[in-house]
Amino acid sequence: MGRAPCCDKANVKKGPWSPEEDAKLKEYIDKFGTGGNWIALPQKAGLRRCGKSCRLRWLNYLRPNIKHGEFSDEEDRIICSLYANIGSRWSIIAAQLPGRTDNDIKNYWNTKLKKKLMGFDSSSHKIIRPLNHHHYQHQIPTNCYNNYSSQISLLQASSLLISSNYPNNTTFPSYETNIPSTIPSSTSFLSAGASTSCTSGITASTFTGPTTSSAESCDISNFNFHSYMYNNNGVISEGEKLISGNNGSGCHVDEQENPLDYSSLEEIKDLISTNHVTCNSNSFLLDHEIKTEEKVMMYY
DNA sequence: AATCGCTGCAACCGCACCAGT
DNA sequence: CACTGGTGCGGTTGCAGCGAT
């Protein structure tokens, strides 16, 4: 027996909102607020809409101070850094970007930002059209696609983030220990993710779940590595660099000594895509969150 | 001008969580 | 403790618009 529907589907309008409906909803909420009950709201407001639909419309479109339009570089960096640290927890990410909604950020990530990160063909050294739009996703088993893309994105988001925050000669923390070495204290979000603390970095009032650091993500793939890019504008370029190491030690980045290693990136992609075929992404995330918690306990 | 394919965005769906009973 | 209803979230889909052919 399935769950009872939240509303009478037959008598509920679906699809795009008309200006009249928007006006009704806005007027009602302006006058009476949401009343803490979205299910009852549409009836009171005289709308033939599902409560969930009203809530979504309000939160994503009608709410005051909603910011539409282009994302700034700074917003890009915040999204990348948070994605690298906590994954696709859009509501948490949205909480860090005033005026942006989780849906907005999710769409932006899926349609634009991910392209910046994924649109890199390691074999040809050229930018290619990535498999990123929903219309293509049908061709790939969901599980496989999600694991592959999310992990690659995660790794490369880390790269983007690192490139934005660290000078070229920064020594990175070890993934084995997760203890940061020479991270400047001013690196806000990244240092939060690189830290072993589950409560640091992200504002406690907006983030209550455990974090998964970028280091953790790499560890997931049984592959210790750091990546670094020299282009500091948040754009993946031909100068992208991947530095890999397998001894868990800190890694010193040097432009002279670390030529672009495309094969390593390909290896990582392969490794990730094969490693997670049998691994549910949610369960592995949970597992690593637990491990993170454990590490925190050990560390303190 | 017509058609096709791609993109971006708004909205929907289903599930998990939580509080109340 | 189990059940139920409401809410929030992330993933997915539908579709209009646009550019290429």
Side-chain angles (χ1 to χ4, degrees):
Chain A
M1 190 177 94
R3 184 183 170 79
C6 64
C7 53
D8 183 2
K9 302 278 182 191
N11 290 318
V12 156
K13 184 172 178 256
K14 293 188 351 182
W17 281 65
S18 68
E20 292 76 27
E21 288 177 310
D22 280 347
K24 268 189 183 178
L25 180 61
K26 192 168 189 322
E27 190 186 338
Y28 182 86
I29 293 178
D30 283 346
K31 273 186 186 172
F32 308 106
T34 65
N37 188 344
W38 283 105
I39 299 296
L41 189 145
Q43 201 176 7
K44 291 178 184 170
L47 289 162
R48 283 182 55 225
R49 288 277 181 176
C50 173
K52 289 174 78 169
S53 180
C54 292
R55 176 184 162 270
L56 205 65
R57 185 64 179 171
W58 173 256
L59 291 177
N60 288 338
Y61 200 80
L62 299 174
R63 189 165 49 116
N65 305 321
I66 290 288
K67 205 193 289 179
H68 291 291
E70 284 295 296
F71 281 70
S72 66
D73 289 346
E74 180 61 20
E75 286 175 315
D76 279 3
R77 271 194 293 277
I78 291 171
I79 294 168
C80 284
S81 61
L82 286 173
Y83 189 91
N85 289 316
I86 62 176
S88 59
R89 293 176 177 183
W90 306 116
S91 57
I92 296 168
I93 295 173
Q96 305 300 324
L97 298 172
R100 300 292 188 185
T101 68
D102 54 354
N103 208 37
D104 238 8
I105 295 168
K106 180 172 59 184
N107 281 334
Y108 179 60
W109 171 266
N110 285 330
T111 60
K112 292 180 183 171
L113 205 47
K114 197 158 75 177
K115 281 181 197 170
K116 286 185 185 176
L117 304 169
M118 289 293 290
F120 183 71
D121 183 354
S122 59
S123 59
S124 67
H125 302 190
K126 288 176 183 171
I127 301 299
I128 59 166
R129 179 189 299 283
L131 265 175
N132 65 344
H133 192 264
H134 54 273
H135 295 143
Y136 293 106
Q137 289 174 15
H138 304 296
Q139 298 166 13
I140 303 172
T142 308
N143 204 24
C144 191
Y145 172 81
N146 286 344
N147 287 329
Y148 176 86
S149 67
S150 64
Q151 290 309 308
I152 288 294
S153 298
L154 197 58
L155 301 174
Q156 294 186 336
S158 303
S159 304
L160 187 63
L161 165 69
I162 289 166
S163 74
S164 306
N165 288 285
Y166 292 110
N168 283 7
N169 61 351
T170 301
T171 302
F172 291 99
S174 159
Y175 290 146
E176 291 295 321
T177 59
N178 278 337
I179 299 172
S181 48
T182 58
I183 295 177
S185 59
S186 61
T187 52
S188 60
F189 290 114
L190 177 63
S191 60
S195 149
T196 55
S197 170
C198 282
T199 55
S200 68
I202 298 165
T203 316
S205 61
T206 56
F207 178 67
T208 54
T211 66
T212 305
S213 72
S214 54
E216 294 279 321
S217 326
C218 299
D219 191 36
I220 288 163
S221 311
N222 300 320
F223 210 90
N224 298 313
F225 78 99
H226 300 281
S227 54
Y228 188 87
M229 295 183 299
Y230 285 81
N231 182 335
N232 219 24
N233 296 324
V235 177
I236 292 182
S237 72
E238 289 290 309
E240 178 179 4
K241 292 183 182 296
L242 180 81
I243 298 95
S244 63
N246 60 5
N247 59 358
S249 62
C251 156
H252 185 263
V253 179
D254 186 298
E255 188 167 7
Q256 313 291 313
E257 295 170 2
N258 295 288
L260 186 56
D261 186 355
Y262 299 99
S263 59
S264 297
L265 181 58
E266 197 58 37
E267 265 182 68
I268 292 161
K269 285 183 177 183
D270 287 343
L271 196 61
I272 290 166
S273 62
T274 53
N275 263 6
H276 297 300
V277 167
T278 57
C279 168
N280 177 289
S281 60
N282 289 335
S283 65
F284 102 70
L285 178 62
L286 180 65
D287 187 34
H288 274 267
E289 286 173 350
I290 292 165
K291 285 179 183 171
T292 305
E293 299 262 9
E294 288 171 357
K295 284 179 182 176
V296 172
M297 297 297 286
M298 294 287 285
Y299 189 59
Y300 288 105

